[in-house]
Amino acid sequence: MLALFMKYDIVIVGAGISGATLAERFANTLQKKVLIIEKRDHIGGNCFDYYNTDGILVSKYGAHLFHTSYKDIWEYVQRFSQWIPYKHKVLAKVDGKLVPVPVNITTVNLLFNLSLKTEKEMIEWLSKNRINIKDPKNSKEAALASVGEALYKKIFENYTKKQWEKDPEELDAEVLNRIPVRTTFEEGYFSDTYQAQPKDGYTKLFENMLTNKNITIKLNTDYFAIKDSLQFDMLFYTGPIDQFFSYNTGEKLEYRSLKFVEETLDMEYFQENSVINYPNEEKFTRIVEYKHITGQKHPKTTIVKEYPSSVGEPYYPIPSKRNKEIYEKYKKEALALEKQQIYFVGRLANYKYFNMDQAFKNALDLFAYLMENKHIK
Ligand code: FAD
Ligand code: UDP
C-alpha cells in the first residue's frame, strides 16, 4: 500500500500528456519526488493505446495522429520514442461518393461534376462560391468564408451539429477553422511540418517518459477522494477546471463526449482509408480503421465508430461564448491559487481544444516559466 501521507515535492493529478511531461521534467531535471494520481487504470490520458483481445493495436479514446510545427516539441517527443513518418488523410462519404477532406480540387470535381485541373481554376471556383465575411464570428461564418454554402451544407453543417449538438453558429470560429481548404490536389489532413506516429504506440512513449524512480504513479485513484491526505510543495491539476471548484459554485462547463463502438472483423481491411467521415445521415461521425495508421499486419481488422454524446467522459471542451465566459471566472480562481503553488495545466484544466503538441507545449512552457521565475523550491 502506497503511503499517500508521505510528503512529495510535486503532486500531479492526471497521467496524460500534461501530467507526464511535468513529472518527467521535475524528476529528470530537478530530482524532485513526484506523485501522479490517476483515476483511470492506465497512464497516457486520452492518448492511451493497447493491444485488444485479437492482438490489434487500438486507441481506447479514438485515433491519435501527431502533428506539429513546433520544432522544440518535435525534438522533445523524440526523446521518448522512435517516430515513423505518417501523413494523415481523411475521406468523407457525401452524396454516395468518397471525397477528400479538407476540401481540395478532387472534392469539388466529384461533388459538382466538374473537371478543374489547376490551382488557378480552383481559386476562381472558390472565389465565386465563398461568402465574403471579413472577420468570421462563429463556425458557420468561418466555413462560409472558407468554402461557401454548398460545401458547408454537404460536409460541415450536419457533421458539426452531430458532433457538438449545437448549431455551427453557436460555436466559435476556431472549431471549423481547424479544417483548412486546399487549392490543389493536396490530400493531407494537417498542414504541419512534422507528422509522425510513435513506433511502438503512445502508451510505450508514456512509459518511457515515466521511468525515473522518483516518480510514483497511483492509478485508480480520484484526487478528490484523497486530497486531504496529500502533502506537497506544488500541485498540478490536469482534470476539468470546473470540477476543481464545484464546491463553491453551481456553474458547470459543457463538455462533449463520444461513445466508441469497436468491432473486429474477419477480413484484412474494412475500408480504403484510416478515417472515413460520415457527415450526414448516420448517427456516428466517423469510422476509424487502426491498421491503416499503425501499419500493423494482421489477418483481422478492428474498426471503431464514433458516436457523439453529451454524457460520458469529458473529451472535448465546447468553444462557445457561454462556456468561455464561465471559464474566465474559473480561470481567475485558478490564478489566485498560484500563490499556494497550485497550477492548472492541459486541455480540460485550460478548457482549450488542444492538440497533443499544444498540450506538450503548455506543460513545457509552464515548467520553463516556473524555472525562470524561481517559483520552484
Ligand atoms: P488528458 O489526456 O485528458 O489527461 C488528463 C488525465 O487526468 C486523464 O487521464 C484523467 O483520467 C485524469 N484525471 C482527471 N480528473 C482526475 C481526478 N479527479 N483524479 C485523478 N485523475 C484525474 N490530438 C492530436 O494532436 N491529434 C489527434 O489525432 C487527436 N485526436 C483526438 C481524438 C479524441 C477523440 C480526443 C478526445 C482527443 C484527441 N486529441 C488529438 C487531443 C489529445 O487527446 C489531447 O490534446 C491530450 O490528450 C491532452 O492531454 P492532457 O494531459 O491535457 O489531458
Ligand atoms: N468537421 C466537419 N466535417 C468533417 C470534418 C470535420 O464538419 O468532415 C468539423 C466538425 O465540427 C469537427 C471539427 O470540424 O468537430 C474539427 O474536426 P477534427 O477532425 O479536427 O475533430 P477532432 O479530431 O478533434 O474530433
Side-chain angles (χ1 to χ4, degrees), residues 13-19 37-40 44-47 61-67 190 221-224 237-240 243 258 260 286 306 313 315-316 345-348 354-357 359:
V13 181
I17 289 178
S18 311
I37 298 160
E38 170 54 63
K39 67 178 182 185
R40 294 174 174 167
N46 287 339
C47 306
Y61 309 97
H64 274 71
L65 297 316
F66 186 82
H67 55 102
F190 306 115
T221 307
D222 190 325
Y223 163 72
F224 295 105
Y237 175 81
T238 77
Q243 207 181 341
L258 295 172
F260 298 100
R286 54 191 175 194
E306 294 185 9
E313 285 279 295
Y315 295 135
Y316 295 86
V345 204
R347 174 152 148 146
L348 300 177
F354 282 160
N355 293 321
M356 288 185 278
D357 64 328

Side-chain angles (χ1 to χ4, degrees), residues 16 22 79 111 206 221 235 239 277 284 359 371:
L22 286 163
R79 296 185 199 177
L111 291 179
F206 284 91
T221 307
L235 175 82
N277 288 354
F284 50 86
M371 290 283 280

Side-chain angles (χ1 to χ4, degrees), residues 155-156 159-160 163-164 176 178 189 277 286 316 353:
I155 302 180
F156 299 104
Y159 186 116
T160 302
Q163 169 72 12
W164 302 96
L176 281 182
R178 286 170 66 86
Y189 198 62
N277 288 354
R286 54 191 175 194
Y316 295 86
Y353 196 164

Side-chain angles (χ1 to χ4, degrees), residues 97 104-125 128 183-185:
K97 297 171 185 165
N104 68 9
I105 296 180
T106 311
T107 317
V108 170
N109 283 344
L110 285 170
L111 291 179
F112 303 105
N113 289 321
L114 294 171
S115 48
L116 308 180
K117 286 182 193 66
T118 63
E119 184 161 22
K120 190 165 165 277
E121 288 172 336
M122 178 67 172
I123 291 170
E124 271 166 24
W125 187 89
K128 279 192 208 124
T183 52
T184 59
F185 290 94

